[in-house]
Amino acid sequence: MKTTTVNGKTINAGMPEVCDKKLAAAELKMIKSDIKIVQISKDHETAAKELILNGFQERFGFIDHSLNPDLNCLTDTYNGEGTLFLAGLIENELVCTGAMTNEGNGECRLQRMSVKKEYRGQGIATMMVRQLEDCAKAAGYRKVVLETNIAWDSAVNLYKRCGYKEYKLEDEMIHLSKEI
C-alpha cells in the first residue's frame, strides 16, 4: 500500500482493498473538514503567488511573469467591487486558491484556481469552486464564466463536473460558463 504524508499525517493512496478505500474516504473527509476558506490576506499573499506560479511552471515548464502582474499584490488587485480572492488553509498552510472578478452584465469570471500538488484529487478544488459560486450568488451575479487550457484535462473535467458548459473554443483555450 502506498502512503503519503500530509501535514504530518500519513494517509493511504492507491488502495485496492475495500477497507483501505473506506479508510481513504475517511481521511479525505478529515482533510476536507480541516480546510478553512478565507479571503486572502497579506499574510498569505506570497504563498498564494508561489502556489499559482508553481502550477504554471508544472504545466508549461516556464513562467512568464509579465503575464501575471495581479499576483504581485493580491489583496489590492482583488479588493474592488465584485472581486474576491480566496485562500484555502489547512492549519494555516495555504493549499488552494481561487478568485472571481466582475465581467459586467451580471457575470463574473472564475480564475486563479490552484491546488497544491500533494492535495490534488481530494475534492479541494471542487470546494473552492462551490465557495466562489456561493460568493458570486451573494454578490448578485447570475452567471460565472471561465477559461482554461484545453489540454489541461484535470481542470476541464473539474469544471464540467461542477456543471460548467463549453461555449467557445479558441486556439488552445476552452471557455466555459454556468448559470448560478
Side-chain angles (χ1 to χ4, degrees), residues 59-89:
R59 295 282 191 169
F60 296 118
F62 69 93
I63 300 168
D64 183 346
H65 292 279
S66 70
L67 299 176
N68 303 291
D70 63 307
L71 297 181
N72 293 324
C73 193
L74 295 168
T75 54
D76 290 343
T77 302
Y78 294 91
N79 193 23
E81 183 76 25
T83 65
L84 179 65
F85 192 102
L86 297 177
L89 308 171

Side-chain angles (χ1 to χ4, degrees), residues 94-146:
L94 188 130
V95 298
C96 67
T97 63
M100 71 176 192
T101 54
N102 186 346
E103 290 288 299
N105 297 320
E107 292 183 11
C108 67
R109 178 168 300 277
L110 188 116
Q111 55 195 47
R112 295 303 187 197
M113 289 289 301
S114 194
V115 176
K116 202 169 192 178
K117 191 173 189 172
E118 57 267 31
Y119 287 90
R120 292 180 191 155
Q122 299 176 29
I124 292 173
T126 300
M127 287 177 64
M128 180 60 80
V129 169
R130 299 291 187 227
Q131 183 68 41
L132 286 164
E133 289 173 349
D134 289 346
C135 292
K137 281 182 199 175
Y141 291 113
R142 297 180 310 278
K143 184 177 185 179
V144 180
V145 297
L146 64 93

Side-chain angles (χ1 to χ4, degrees), residues 18-37:
V18 172
C19 63
D20 286 343
K21 286 181 182 177
K22 288 180 183 176
L23 180 60
E27 289 167 341
L28 291 177
K29 186 175 182 180
M30 183 178 71
I31 287 170
K32 288 203 275 188
S33 69
D34 288 344
I35 196 162
K36 181 176 158 186
I37 298 178

Side-chain angles (χ1 to χ4, degrees), residues 2-13 31 93 117-119 122:
K2 183 179 171 187
T3 63
T4 187
T5 302
V6 177
N7 285 335
K9 301 173 189 167
T10 301
I11 62 171
N12 301 321
I31 287 170
E93 175 189 3
K117 191 173 189 172
E118 57 267 31
Y119 287 90
Q122 299 176 29

